[in-house]
């Protein structure tokens, strides 16, 4: 943890990562940040004790560069960084859809690149971060990325060929659950419940179900069957979900998210 780490383009996820790293034992003095707006950089200094720098300064002085800008801004950032990044720097990209080859083609030969897709539960230390190695990244580089992102949740190593699927499942995944909670809350209101009570019922049910999935080791089908009595309320609800093609719609939605991730990788707008 004595190495210097720079977070470039520090938005909400980047700040959550900084905060988690500090709680995990990183010294604020070893953490550098860049931000588009000077006032944002000063906010980060005041809140976390980290050091605001320019992108060029970060490239020259940090051992690890974590790039958290939007995918459409990554090319511009790399144009700025490339003259200043030695080949021994570790580059960690958090940009959806952009392959490690995009960075390797623009940086000095042999520069190690690790691709990470995390998600917004990093804001509450419950992220799912999926980690893949570029062609020059070693097991040590992957372990370092896991150490960093493990500060805000769980990590999982996958081949880079699976990153688009992981983006569809976990990168975008929280939005699907929020969408489902929104729909169920509306249903609760239709059934006669006040919005706040419907919300509390659904959110706690979601938390409880998630903990059961995580801790029980049971297949989700088994857990669902445990709630589904013959001729009961749950099986009638499940029948309607099947009649309306909810399972097929979810599969199609995830395929669409994966395809969009692939499109980003190919440079499509």
């Amino acid at each position: 943890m004595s190495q210097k780490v720079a977070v470039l383009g520090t938005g909400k996820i980047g700040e959550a990562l900084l905060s988690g790293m500090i709680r995990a034992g990183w010294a604020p003095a070893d953490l550098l940040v860049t931000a588009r707006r000077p006032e944002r950089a000063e906010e980060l200094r005041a809140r976390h004790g980290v050091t605001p720098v320019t992108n060029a300064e970060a490239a020259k002085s940090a051992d690890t560069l974590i790039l958290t800008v939007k995918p459409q801004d990554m090319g511009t950032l790399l144009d700025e960084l490339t003259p200043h990044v030695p080949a021994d720097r570790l580059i960690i990209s958090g940009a959806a859809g952009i392959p490690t080859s995009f960075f390797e083609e623009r940086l000095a030969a042999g520069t190690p690149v690790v691709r990470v897709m995390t998600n917004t539960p990093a804001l509450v230390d419950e992220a799912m971060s999926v980690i893949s190695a570029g062609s020059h990244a070693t097991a040590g580089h992957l372990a370092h990325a896991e150490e960093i992102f493990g500060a805000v949740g769980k990590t999982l190593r996958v081949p880079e060929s699976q990153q688009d699927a992981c983006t569809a499942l976990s990168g975008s995944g929280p939005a699907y659950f929020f969408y489902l909670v929104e729909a169920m809350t509306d249903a609760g209101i239709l059934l006669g419940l006040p919005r706040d009570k419907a919300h509390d019922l659904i959110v706690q049910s979601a938390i409880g179900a998630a903990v059961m999935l995580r801790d029980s080791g049971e297949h989700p089908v088994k857990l669902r069957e445990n709630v589904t009595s013959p001729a009961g309320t749950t099986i009638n609800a499940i029948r309607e979900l099947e009649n309306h093609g909810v399972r097929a719609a979810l599969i199609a939605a995830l395929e669409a998210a994966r395809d969009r991730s692939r499109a980003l990788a190919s440079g499509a707008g």
Side-chain angles (χ1 to χ4, degrees), residues 45-87:
R45 184 206 297 270
R47 193 173 296 146
H48 303 290
V50 296
T51 304
V53 293
T54 67
N55 290 328
E57 289 169 340
K60 293 174 184 177
S61 57
D63 302 287
T64 300
L65 305 177
I66 304 174
L67 313 185
T68 62
V69 301
K70 295 178 180 178
Q72 58 267 33
D73 296 328
M74 192 61 77
T76 300
L77 176 61
L78 280 180
D79 289 342
E80 184 178 350
L81 290 178
T82 297
H84 309 289
V85 179

Side-chain angles (χ1 to χ4, degrees), residues 109-268:
T111 301
V113 181
V114 172
R115 179 176 170 181
V116 180
M117 171 49 59
T118 192
N119 57 15
T120 56
L123 298 168
V124 292
D125 292 347
E126 291 291 349
M128 183 69 251
S129 300
V130 184
I131 297 175
S132 301
S135 56
H136 306 297
T138 66
H141 294 131
L142 287 173
H144 187 49
E146 287 174 331
E147 184 182 22
I148 291 171
F149 283 85
V152 291
K154 296 189 70 173
T155 63
L156 177 69
R157 293 189 194 185
V158 301
E160 188 171 10
S161 61
Q162 296 176 0
Q163 274 280 354
D164 292 323
C166 293
T167 297
L169 280 170
S170 66
S172 301
Y176 313 145
F177 289 99
F178 299 146
Y179 182 87
L180 182 60
V181 168
E182 178 188 1
M184 291 177 70
T185 300
D186 288 343
I189 295 168
L190 181 65
L191 296 174
L193 292 170
R195 178 174 292 277
D196 60 341
K197 288 185 171 57
H199 175 83
D200 289 348
L201 287 166
I202 294 160
V203 170
Q204 184 55 38
S205 296
I207 292 170
V211 171
M212 289 179 71
L213 277 168
R214 184 191 66 193
D215 295 348
S216 70
E218 296 281 4
H219 193 281
V221 170
K222 175 63 175 176
L223 294 174
R224 177 179 61 77
E225 288 176 345
N226 290 343
V227 188
T228 309
S229 303
T233 59
T234 305
I235 192 59
N236 275 272
I238 296 294
R239 180 185 63 182
E240 288 303 312
L241 292 173
E242 294 292 348
N243 287 343
H244 286 81
V246 171
R247 187 187 302 266
L250 283 170
I251 292 171
L254 290 168
E255 288 179 329
R258 178 207 58 196
D259 293 346
R260 179 54 181 162
S261 183
R262 288 177 177 172
L264 288 170
S266 67

